[in-house]
Amino acid sequence: MKQIIALGGGGFSMEPDNPLLDLYILEQSQKETPKICFIPTASGDADSYIGRFYDFFKQQDCEPTHLSLFKPPAQALEELVLSQDILYVGGGNTKNLLALWKEWGLDRIIEKAWNQGIILAGISAGSICWFEQGVTDSYGEDLHALACLGFLPGSNCPHYDGEANRRPAFQRLLTEGLIKPGLAADDGAALHFIGQDLHGAVSSRPHAKAYRVARGSEQELETRFLGKG
């Protein structure tokens, strides 16, 4: 079964004391100790980011590892990627992520992994990269539309409530015809796809939501809070 879990924000990097989204990702593998590989390309493989990944996932019932393109593993990339149960992509610069993945052929390897049933997950850059287009700050402070991998149809905007300019920028890009209609997620919300179909939205915060967004319209989606209450 092909699955993608796209976080608008949250997870170990933004909510270190709130494990709900990351535990949800692990649960989807339905394995007692899933192998989970962090891919921090968008951050330039920042050591501090990798460290935070291990700080959280070494405490869980899983086998964590990471894939650096700046310090490539001795093991062949495809062999490493296809041996995982979950690939978790970090945030940062989406344009750089896409360029490096293409140069290394990692985009094709990850697509192969997805087709083989390995779960894809990610936050921010690691969320929008799966769609046809995303709302990105890869070019600087302003937000632009960016062509992405196209595993999922339409567009995606993370941090919908976390950054004041995200919501108006998405509508501006839609009005100008620069981006396709799509989905948005607040910090603490995640979009769960099975195949290319939206299976549901979940959240680590009671008021975090996901939305279906088109030119001049925004529909709040039913979003299931993963906590109690």
Side-chain angles (χ1 to χ4, degrees):
M1 181 170 62
K2 297 162 61 173
Q3 297 186 73
I4 293 178
I5 303 168
L7 280 63
F12 71 90
S13 62
M14 291 183 66
E15 296 180 315
D17 298 321
N18 186 347
L20 291 175
L21 287 177
D22 289 334
L23 293 178
Y24 179 80
I25 291 169
L26 288 175
E27 288 168 4
Q28 304 318 303
S29 71
Q30 299 183 350
K31 293 189 176 181
E32 290 187 8
T33 54
K35 296 179 179 179
I36 182 167
C37 180
F38 183 47
I39 306 179
T41 315
S43 69
D45 291 348
D47 289 336
S48 61
Y49 203 2
I50 296 169
R52 280 179 284 160
F53 168 77
Y54 283 112
D55 286 344
F56 176 78
F57 283 98
K58 279 186 175 180
Q59 299 179 56
Q60 312 308 318
D61 291 326
C62 64
E63 297 180 25
T65 189
H66 75 280
L67 170 58
S68 171
L69 294 181
F70 292 84
K71 299 176 183 177
Q75 186 180 12
L77 287 182
E78 183 165 337
E79 180 184 352
L80 174 62
V81 169
L82 296 184
S83 68
Q84 304 302 313
D85 299 304
I86 303 167
L87 303 177
Y88 194 137
V89 180
N93 189 301
T94 318
K95 186 174 177 64
N96 289 348
L97 174 152
L98 294 169
L100 283 167
W101 282 10
K102 183 176 181 180
E103 179 66 26
W104 284 84
L106 188 56
D107 54 344
R108 297 189 301 275
I109 295 171
I110 290 176
E111 185 174 17
K112 184 175 181 179
W114 180 50
N115 286 324
Q116 290 185 7
I118 295 171
I119 296 169
L120 308 184
I123 178 173
S124 195
S127 173
I128 69 175
C129 66
W130 314 121
F131 291 77
E132 289 180 282
Q133 293 176 293
V135 179
T136 182
D137 57 4
S138 295
Y139 298 89
E141 294 183 2
D142 293 335
L143 292 166
H144 300 270
L146 178 69
C148 298
L149 294 172
F151 296 180
L152 298 174
S155 62
N156 177 237
C157 181
H159 309 303
Y160 207 50
D161 70 336
E163 299 175 9
N165 55 345
R166 288 278 173 171
R167 186 178 255 110
F170 200 0
Q171 277 299 333
R172 173 181 57 80
L173 293 168
L174 285 162
T175 299
E176 295 174 357
L178 297 175
I179 200 167
K180 296 181 178 183
L183 298 162
D186 291 340
D187 287 343
L191 302 158
H192 185 178
F193 289 83
I194 294 180
Q196 292 186 318
D197 298 322
L198 182 62
H199 174 64
V202 296
S203 71
S204 59
R205 307 176 188 179
H207 303 295
K209 300 294 181 182
Y211 308 86
R212 192 173 300 279
V213 186
R215 181 176 178 177
S217 71
E218 178 182 288
Q219 175 192 357
E220 184 179 301
L221 301 176
E222 181 178 351
T223 306
R224 179 168 62 90
F225 175 50
L226 296 170
K228 296 180 180 180

